[in-house]
Amino acid sequence: MKTRTLKLSLLGTLLAFALPAQALDLNIGYQKSALNLVSLKAQGTLEKQLKPLGVDVKWFEFQAGPPLLEAMNAGSVSIGMTGDSPPVFAQAAGADIVYIGQEPAKPDSSAILVPANSAIKSLADLKGKRIAFTKGSSAHYLTVAALQKAKLAYTDITPVYLSPSEARAAFERGSVDAWTIWDPYYAAAQKAGGIRVLSTGKGLTGNNTFYLAQRAFAKANPKVIDVVFKALSANDEWLKSDVKKVAATLSGYTGLEAETYEAMLSRNPSYSVSYLQPGVDAQQQKVADAFYSLGLIPKAIKVKDAFWKP
């Protein structure tokens, strides 16, 4: 009996070494605004670098940050990139998601747009107007910050919560008076013409970009995250090498016009990725406090509770 048990034990050990380790699924959520992720996807860079680690990379595109983080909270997305507001709404709703990294601030990459012939000439003129933006997005906070600067209450406007594509359609048919939006939708609208920039985010918001992950995924896979971040930072050197050439290449990958990418790249000098930097928690707390004071999130939150350290 002891001999048989020993044989079975040895057989089990041999089978354990013979069977390949189970592959890890890295499900990446991205938006069209994520130039760095978009170009890595097109080049297959992460697939090549993570294959030796037994990581299977899959990509999922979203129009905006809120649905991306909903998918992350549901377990369908491992890591992803959004603007400043989506993680605030997610944390307030109880999602177990953590901030893992960031890109440099991009205040010029978002704007409040009005028709070229609009009578709206200043932020104060937004009083009583219908403004389209995606609820819980960075455009939402830009709108809030703009109203604060103009000494207007949130109730002084009529927010029209729409996805970027829906908002553009409403804006073009005149159903709304203004549209708050980010790149590449902002750049595409500029190219199409017939619009005027009432204000960019400059002086209103840092418009920080964050990389986020499921808390359990981040805790279990710091090495994978490090590989992703190093690949993104290395790719940033290519992104800022030759704007026209890079824009043409990205256009070939995605179908968006090269001029749209040129505009994006010209107003954003860097898409490099780092772990969370000192002081960014205070900036993000300001966003959270603004939404809570307006009753737009159900409870006060401490954003640093969702900051992950590798």
Side-chain angles (χ1 to χ4, degrees), residues 257-289:
E257 294 185 350
E259 290 88 345
T260 297
Y261 284 119
E262 281 187 45
M264 290 180 68
L265 290 162
S266 296
R267 51 183 165 233
N268 295 314
S270 176
Y271 288 85
S272 62
V273 179
S274 67
Y275 289 104
L276 298 169
Q277 298 296 302
V280 74
D281 57 317
Q283 297 173 39
Q284 193 64 356
Q285 190 63 50
K286 183 179 178 182
V287 176
D289 292 345

Short mmCIF file of all heavy atoms in Angstrom, two decimals, residues 257-289:
data_model
loop_
_atom_site.label_atom_id
_atom_site.label_comp_id
_atom_site.label_asym_id
_atom_site.label_seq_id
_atom_site.Cartn_x
_atom_site.Cartn_y
_atom_site.Cartn_z
N GLU A 257 -8.70 60.10 -39.21
CA GLU A 257 -7.89 60.91 -40.11
C GLU A 257 -6.57 61.33 -39.45
O GLU A 257 -6.51 61.60 -38.25
CB GLU A 257 -8.69 62.14 -40.55
CG GLU A 257 -9.90 61.76 -41.40
CD GLU A 257 -10.62 62.99 -41.93
OE1 GLU A 257 -10.30 64.10 -41.47
OE2 GLU A 257 -11.50 62.81 -42.79
N ALA A 258 -5.53 61.38 -40.26
CA ALA A 258 -4.20 61.73 -39.76
C ALA A 258 -4.19 63.12 -39.12
O ALA A 258 -3.50 63.35 -38.12
CB ALA A 258 -3.18 61.68 -40.90
N GLU A 259 -4.98 64.05 -39.67
CA GLU A 259 -5.02 65.41 -39.13
C GLU A 259 -5.52 65.42 -37.69
O GLU A 259 -5.11 66.26 -36.88
CB GLU A 259 -5.91 66.30 -39.99
CG GLU A 259 -5.33 66.62 -41.35
CD GLU A 259 -5.71 65.56 -42.40
OE1 GLU A 259 -6.16 64.45 -42.01
OE2 GLU A 259 -5.54 65.85 -43.60
N THR A 260 -6.43 64.50 -37.37
CA THR A 260 -6.94 64.39 -36.00
C THR A 260 -5.82 64.01 -35.05
O THR A 260 -5.66 64.60 -33.97
CB THR A 260 -8.07 63.36 -35.93
OG1 THR A 260 -9.17 63.79 -36.75
CG2 THR A 260 -8.57 63.18 -34.50
N TYR A 261 -5.01 63.04 -35.45
CA TYR A 261 -3.89 62.62 -34.62
C TYR A 261 -2.82 63.72 -34.53
O TYR A 261 -2.19 63.90 -33.49
CB TYR A 261 -3.27 61.33 -35.15
CG TYR A 261 -4.10 60.11 -34.83
CD1 TYR A 261 -4.63 59.32 -35.84
CD2 TYR A 261 -4.36 59.76 -33.51
CE1 TYR A 261 -5.40 58.20 -35.54
CE2 TYR A 261 -5.12 58.64 -33.21
CZ TYR A 261 -5.64 57.87 -34.22
OH TYR A 261 -6.40 56.77 -33.92
N GLU A 262 -2.62 64.44 -35.62
CA GLU A 262 -1.64 65.54 -35.59
C GLU A 262 -2.02 66.56 -34.54
O GLU A 262 -1.17 67.05 -33.78
CB GLU A 262 -1.57 66.21 -36.97
CG GLU A 262 -0.74 65.44 -37.99
CD GLU A 262 -0.55 66.24 -39.27
OE1 GLU A 262 -0.26 67.45 -39.18
OE2 GLU A 262 -0.70 65.65 -40.35
N ALA A 263 -3.33 66.90 -34.49
CA ALA A 263 -3.80 67.87 -33.50
C ALA A 263 -3.58 67.36 -32.08
O ALA A 263 -3.11 68.08 -31.20
CB ALA A 263 -5.27 68.16 -33.72
N MET A 264 -3.89 66.08 -31.86
CA MET A 264 -3.72 65.49 -30.53
C MET A 264 -2.26 65.49 -30.10
O MET A 264 -1.92 65.89 -28.99
CB MET A 264 -4.24 64.04 -30.53
CG MET A 264 -5.73 63.91 -30.65
SD MET A 264 -6.25 62.16 -30.63
CE MET A 264 -5.86 61.69 -28.95
N LEU A 265 -1.38 65.04 -30.99
CA LEU A 265 0.03 64.95 -30.67
C LEU A 265 0.67 66.32 -30.47
O LEU A 265 1.56 66.49 -29.65
CB LEU A 265 0.77 64.19 -31.77
CG LEU A 265 0.45 62.68 -31.86
CD1 LEU A 265 0.86 62.13 -33.22
CD2 LEU A 265 1.14 61.93 -30.74
N SER A 266 0.19 67.31 -31.22
CA SER A 266 0.76 68.65 -31.13
C SER A 266 0.45 69.32 -29.80
O SER A 266 1.25 70.11 -29.29
CB SER A 266 0.25 69.52 -32.28
OG SER A 266 0.69 69.01 -33.52
N ARG A 267 -0.72 69.05 -29.24
CA ARG A 267 -1.05 69.71 -27.98
C ARG A 267 -0.69 68.89 -26.74
O ARG A 267 -0.90 69.34 -25.61
CB ARG A 267 -2.51 70.16 -27.93
CG ARG A 267 -3.58 69.16 -28.26
CD ARG A 267 -4.95 69.90 -28.22
NE ARG A 267 -6.01 69.13 -28.85
CZ ARG A 267 -6.81 69.62 -29.80
NH1 ARG A 267 -6.63 70.85 -30.25
NH2 ARG A 267 -7.77 68.88 -30.32
N ASN A 268 -0.16 67.68 -26.94
CA ASN A 268 0.25 66.85 -25.81
C ASN A 268 1.68 66.38 -26.03
O ASN A 268 1.92 65.50 -26.84
CB ASN A 268 -0.68 65.64 -25.66
CG ASN A 268 -2.09 66.06 -25.30
OD1 ASN A 268 -2.28 66.89 -24.42
ND2 ASN A 268 -3.06 65.52 -25.99
N PRO A 269 2.64 66.96 -25.31
CA PRO A 269 4.06 66.63 -25.56
C PRO A 269 4.48 65.24 -25.11
O PRO A 269 5.48 64.73 -25.58
CB PRO A 269 4.80 67.70 -24.75
CG PRO A 269 3.84 68.07 -23.65
CD PRO A 269 2.48 67.98 -24.27
N SER A 270 3.72 64.62 -24.20
CA SER A 270 4.17 63.33 -23.69
C SER A 270 3.01 62.42 -23.30
O SER A 270 2.03 62.87 -22.70
CB SER A 270 5.07 63.54 -22.47
OG SER A 270 5.45 62.30 -21.90
N TYR A 271 3.15 61.16 -23.66
CA TYR A 271 2.20 60.12 -23.25
C TYR A 271 2.93 59.07 -22.41
O TYR A 271 2.49 57.93 -22.31
CB TYR A 271 1.56 59.46 -24.48
CG TYR A 271 0.57 60.36 -25.19
CD1 TYR A 271 0.99 61.28 -26.15
CD2 TYR A 271 -0.78 60.29 -24.90
CE1 TYR A 271 0.09 62.11 -26.80
CE2 TYR A 271 -1.70 61.12 -25.54
CZ TYR A 271 -1.25 62.02 -26.49
OH TYR A 271 -2.16 62.84 -27.12
N SER A 272 4.04 59.45 -21.81
CA SER A 272 4.80 58.50 -21.00
C SER A 272 3.98 58.09 -19.78
O SER A 272 3.09 58.83 -19.34
CB SER A 272 6.13 59.12 -20.55
OG SER A 272 5.88 60.25 -19.74
N VAL A 273 4.28 56.93 -19.25
CA VAL A 273 3.53 56.40 -18.11
C VAL A 273 4.45 56.20 -16.92
O VAL A 273 5.58 55.73 -17.07
CB VAL A 273 2.86 55.06 -18.49
CG1 VAL A 273 2.10 54.49 -17.30
CG2 VAL A 273 1.92 55.26 -19.66
N SER A 274 3.97 56.58 -15.75
CA SER A 274 4.74 56.39 -14.53
C SER A 274 3.80 55.85 -13.45
O SER A 274 2.57 55.88 -13.60
CB SER A 274 5.33 57.72 -14.05
OG SER A 274 4.29 58.61 -13.65
N TYR A 275 4.39 55.38 -12.38
CA TYR A 275 3.58 55.06 -11.21
C TYR A 275 3.08 56.38 -10.64
O TYR A 275 3.51 57.46 -11.04
CB TYR A 275 4.40 54.25 -10.20
CG TYR A 275 4.68 52.84 -10.68
CD1 TYR A 275 5.94 52.49 -11.16
CD2 TYR A 275 3.68 51.88 -10.68
CE1 TYR A 275 6.20 51.20 -11.62
CE2 TYR A 275 3.93 50.59 -11.14
CZ TYR A 275 5.18 50.26 -11.61
OH TYR A 275 5.43 48.99 -12.07
N LEU A 276 2.15 56.32 -9.70
CA LEU A 276 1.51 57.52 -9.18
C LEU A 276 2.53 58.48 -8.56
O LEU A 276 3.40 58.07 -7.80
CB LEU A 276 0.45 57.13 -8.15
CG LEU A 276 -0.69 56.28 -8.73
CD1 LEU A 276 -1.54 55.70 -7.61
CD2 LEU A 276 -1.55 57.09 -9.69
N GLN A 277 2.40 59.75 -8.92
CA GLN A 277 3.36 60.77 -8.49
C GLN A 277 2.86 61.54 -7.27
O GLN A 277 1.64 61.69 -7.07
CB GLN A 277 3.60 61.76 -9.64
CG GLN A 277 4.20 61.11 -10.88
CD GLN A 277 5.59 60.56 -10.62
OE1 GLN A 277 6.49 61.27 -10.23
NE2 GLN A 277 5.75 59.25 -10.84
N PRO A 278 3.77 62.04 -6.44
CA PRO A 278 3.37 62.83 -5.27
C PRO A 278 2.52 64.04 -5.69
O PRO A 278 2.80 64.69 -6.68
CB PRO A 278 4.71 63.29 -4.68
CG PRO A 278 5.70 62.29 -5.17
CD PRO A 278 5.23 61.89 -6.54
N GLY A 279 1.49 64.30 -4.92
CA GLY A 279 0.64 65.46 -5.18
C GLY A 279 -0.57 65.16 -6.04
O GLY A 279 -1.55 65.93 -6.03
N VAL A 280 -0.56 64.05 -6.79
CA VAL A 280 -1.69 63.77 -7.66
C VAL A 280 -2.92 63.39 -6.84
O VAL A 280 -4.05 63.59 -7.28
CB VAL A 280 -1.34 62.67 -8.69
CG1 VAL A 280 -1.29 61.29 -8.03
CG2 VAL A 280 -2.35 62.67 -9.84
N ASP A 281 -2.72 62.88 -5.64
CA ASP A 281 -3.86 62.53 -4.79
C ASP A 281 -4.64 63.78 -4.39
O ASP A 281 -5.87 63.76 -4.34
CB ASP A 281 -3.40 61.76 -3.54
CG ASP A 281 -2.37 62.52 -2.72
OD1 ASP A 281 -1.45 63.11 -3.32
OD2 ASP A 281 -2.49 62.53 -1.48
N ALA A 282 -3.92 64.89 -4.13
CA ALA A 282 -4.60 66.14 -3.77
C ALA A 282 -5.42 66.67 -4.94
O ALA A 282 -6.54 67.17 -4.76
CB ALA A 282 -3.57 67.17 -3.31
N GLN A 283 -4.86 66.58 -6.15
CA GLN A 283 -5.59 67.02 -7.33
C GLN A 283 -6.84 66.18 -7.54
O GLN A 283 -7.92 66.70 -7.85
CB GLN A 283 -4.69 66.92 -8.57
CG GLN A 283 -3.46 67.80 -8.54
CD GLN A 283 -2.53 67.53 -9.69
OE1 GLN A 283 -2.96 67.29 -10.82
NE2 GLN A 283 -1.24 67.55 -9.43
N GLN A 284 -6.69 64.87 -7.34
CA GLN A 284 -7.82 63.98 -7.56
C GLN A 284 -8.86 64.12 -6.45
O GLN A 284 -10.06 63.97 -6.70
CB GLN A 284 -7.31 62.54 -7.66
CG GLN A 284 -8.30 61.53 -8.18
CD GLN A 284 -8.72 61.79 -9.63
OE1 GLN A 284 -8.34 62.78 -10.25
NE2 GLN A 284 -9.55 60.92 -10.14
N GLN A 285 -8.41 64.41 -5.24
CA GLN A 285 -9.35 64.62 -4.14
C GLN A 285 -10.24 65.84 -4.41
O GLN A 285 -11.42 65.86 -4.05
CB GLN A 285 -8.60 64.80 -2.82
CG GLN A 285 -9.49 64.80 -1.58
CD GLN A 285 -10.21 63.47 -1.39
OE1 GLN A 285 -9.59 62.42 -1.42
NE2 GLN A 285 -11.52 63.53 -1.20
N LYS A 286 -9.65 66.85 -5.04
CA LYS A 286 -10.42 68.05 -5.40
C LYS A 286 -11.56 67.70 -6.35
O LYS A 286 -12.68 68.22 -6.23
CB LYS A 286 -9.49 69.08 -6.05
CG LYS A 286 -10.15 70.39 -6.40
CD LYS A 286 -9.15 71.36 -7.02
CE LYS A 286 -9.84 72.67 -7.42
NZ LYS A 286 -8.87 73.61 -8.07
N VAL A 287 -11.29 66.80 -7.29
CA VAL A 287 -12.33 66.35 -8.22
C VAL A 287 -13.44 65.63 -7.46
O VAL A 287 -14.63 65.89 -7.64
CB VAL A 287 -11.73 65.40 -9.29
CG1 VAL A 287 -12.82 64.86 -10.20
CG2 VAL A 287 -10.66 66.14 -10.10
N ALA A 288 -13.04 64.72 -6.56
CA ALA A 288 -14.02 63.95 -5.78
C ALA A 288 -14.87 64.86 -4.90
O ALA A 288 -16.10 64.70 -4.82
CB ALA A 288 -13.30 62.91 -4.93
N ASP A 289 -14.23 65.82 -4.24
CA ASP A 289 -14.95 66.73 -3.35
C ASP A 289 -15.95 67.59 -4.12
O ASP A 289 -17.05 67.88 -3.61
CB ASP A 289 -13.97 67.62 -2.59
CG ASP A 289 -13.11 66.84 -1.60
OD1 ASP A 289 -13.46 65.69 -1.28
OD2 ASP A 289 -12.07 67.40 -1.16
#
